């Protein structure tokens, strides 16, 4: 028999549970993006490059500061796992946990993707989301989450005893290796928790477990971001396809994703308040 202690509730248990929650970072804590200037940048957009990410694979891409990039559904419902780094300093990378705390569990237009400490600055601003209509469904699910990590071969081996080499972590590592010349073992330390693009997720209401369900994404949908620093991006097409049944296998129908890169009018650069690394210094 498994030993699992269960303690008796104290006499004031109901009183303790009734204490009202406090939002840690209330709306309005962060400065609002300059949407008027952002609209000027968007009006000047010109597509200069695109990258196709094959099914069950990953590709890297570069986005200069002041450019836009779009992750686009092309052939069928497919989710993607996104990593971002400072293209000039790979120690600075996307920090999904702090992004979740500063914004919410699922991101949409107006939310920012923040970098790790000690930098802690905005890397990219979500400028358009064609799935913003979805909101939260009756199961508590929504899209573009920063609560899941990424499917990975280590957890897969832990749970199943089997090795699978096209988990998103593996895909991202291979693409990062090809970009940087590092070994797969070195890449393990740079690939990080992701923005789950197009993925529909939440927590069950009874057991509070992380769940996924069929993504509502359809060909032509996209998530667009404005680069606030020079970015190296890395996108994996999840082996779970639309994540309606499972992941980390070859069973699901999978489709490519497209990354489109857009330049903007350089004359607008002086109108944007570009984020600097945190000025905090240890005493």
């Amino acid at each position: 028999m498994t030993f699992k202690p269960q303690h008796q509730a104290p006499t004031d248990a109901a009183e303790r549970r009734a204490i009202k929650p406090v939002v840690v970072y209330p709306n309005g804590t962060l400065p609002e993006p300059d949407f008027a200037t952002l609209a000027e940048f968007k009006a000047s957009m010109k597509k200069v490059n695109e990258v196709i990410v094959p099914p069950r694979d990953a590709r890297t891409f570069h986005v200069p500061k002041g450019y836009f990039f779009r992750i686009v559904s092309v052939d069928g419902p497919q989710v993607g796992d996104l990593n971002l780094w400072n293209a000039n300093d790979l120690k600075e990378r996307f920090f999904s946990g702090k992004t979740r705390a500063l914004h919410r569990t699922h991101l949409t237009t107006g939310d920012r993707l923040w970098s790790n400490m000690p930098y802690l600055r905005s890397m990219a601003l979500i400028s358009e989301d064609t799935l913003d209509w979805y909101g939260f469904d009756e199961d508590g699910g929504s899209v573009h989450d920063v609560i899941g990590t990424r499917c990975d071969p280590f957890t897969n081996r832990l749970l199943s005893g089997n090795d699978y080499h096209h988990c998103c972590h593996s895909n991202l590592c291979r693409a990062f290796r090809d970009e940087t010349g590092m070994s797969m073992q070195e890449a393990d330390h740079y690939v990080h928790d992701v923005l789950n693009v197009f993925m529909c997720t939440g927590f069950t209401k009874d057991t509070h477990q992380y769940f996924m369900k069929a993504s509502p994404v359809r060909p032509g949908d996209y998530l667009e971001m404005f680069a606030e620093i020079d970015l190296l991006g890395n996108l994996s097409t999840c082996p779970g396809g639309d994540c309606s049944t499972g992941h980390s296998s070859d069973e699901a129908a999978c489709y490519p994703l497209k990354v489109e890169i857009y330049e903007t009018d350089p004359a607008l650069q002086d109108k944007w308040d570009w984020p600097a690394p945190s000025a905090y210094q240890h005493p």
Side-chain angles (χ1 to χ4, degrees):
M1 180 181 295
T2 302
F3 177 68
K4 186 177 180 181
Q6 181 66 48
H7 297 93
Q8 186 72 27
T11 57
D12 64 344
E15 181 181 346
R16 296 191 202 180
R17 291 189 179 112
I19 295 172
K20 299 300 181 184
V22 176
V23 175
V24 178
Y25 303 112
N27 291 339
T29 302
L30 293 170
E32 281 289 311
D34 182 357
F35 289 112
T37 301
L38 186 68
E40 293 185 55
F41 275 100
K42 280 179 69 68
S44 74
M45 289 170 62
K46 293 180 181 178
K47 184 178 172 182
V48 292
N49 193 19
E50 68 176 39
V51 175
I52 298 295
V53 186
R56 294 185 176 87
D57 209 341
R59 293 290 185 273
T60 57
F61 55 93
H62 288 262
V63 190
K65 182 178 75 172
Y67 282 40
F68 290 87
F69 69 98
R70 288 179 178 176
I71 300 173
V72 186
S73 171
V74 285
D75 291 339
Q78 174 67 45
V79 307
D81 284 37
L82 178 68
N83 269 189
L84 293 176
W85 294 267
N86 177 345
N88 304 307
D89 179 5
L90 296 178
K91 295 191 299 295
E92 183 176 9
R93 62 193 187 187
F94 174 50
F95 188 179
S96 67
K98 185 58 71 175
T99 300
R100 178 176 64 246
L102 288 171
H103 293 293
R104 67 199 90 237
T105 58
H106 298 76
L107 305 184
T108 190
T109 307
D111 294 331
R112 286 181 149 114
L113 278 66
W114 295 83
S115 67
N116 59 311
M117 295 176 278
Y119 312 95
L120 197 59
R121 59 171 163 176
S122 176
M123 305 181 78
L125 167 67
I126 298 179
S127 49
E128 192 172 352
D129 172 14
T130 66
L131 294 179
D132 58 5
W133 55 267
Y134 191 87
F136 282 84
D137 59 34
E138 292 184 355
D139 295 313
S142 189
V143 293
H144 313 314
D145 83 76
V146 280
I147 49 179
T149 52
R150 59 200 178 277
C151 59
D152 70 89
F154 307 100
T155 303
N156 191 66
R157 186 175 178 84
L158 173 69
L159 299 179
S160 71
N162 299 319
D163 290 335
Y164 182 69
H165 305 300
H166 297 282
C167 298
C168 284
H169 177 88
S170 308
N171 297 342
L172 293 166
C173 281
R174 281 192 298 272
F176 188 79
R177 173 200 63 191
D178 294 344
E179 172 71 31
T180 65
M182 293 184 187
S183 69
M184 287 289 283
Q185 290 72 25
E186 290 174 306
D188 273 329
H189 298 281
Y190 283 86
V191 168
H192 49 279
D193 285 351
V194 298
L195 171 63
N196 283 308
V197 180
F198 303 141
M199 192 171 181
C200 188
T201 61
F203 292 99
T204 59
K205 297 176 183 178
D206 50 359
T207 60
H208 309 290
Q209 292 173 283
Y210 182 55
F211 72 76
M212 60 187 188
K213 60 189 293 185
S215 173
V217 69
R218 296 295 182 269
D221 281 321
Y222 59 85
L223 184 68
E224 179 189 273
M225 300 186 211
F226 179 64
E228 296 195 90
I229 64 173
D230 292 332
L231 295 175
L232 169 63
N234 195 354
L235 181 68
S236 168
T237 47
C238 183
D242 69 354
C243 290
S244 58
T245 56
H247 58 74
S248 300
S249 77
D250 290 328
E251 297 173 0
C254 291
Y255 303 92
L257 289 171
K258 180 169 62 171
V259 180
E260 298 177 341
I261 313 296
Y262 294 84
E263 70 177 6
T264 58
D265 183 354
L268 296 170
Q269 292 263 338
D270 290 341
K271 300 186 69 173
W272 194 258
D273 185 15
W274 303 106
S278 173
Y280 174 78
Q281 296 291 324
H282 289 292

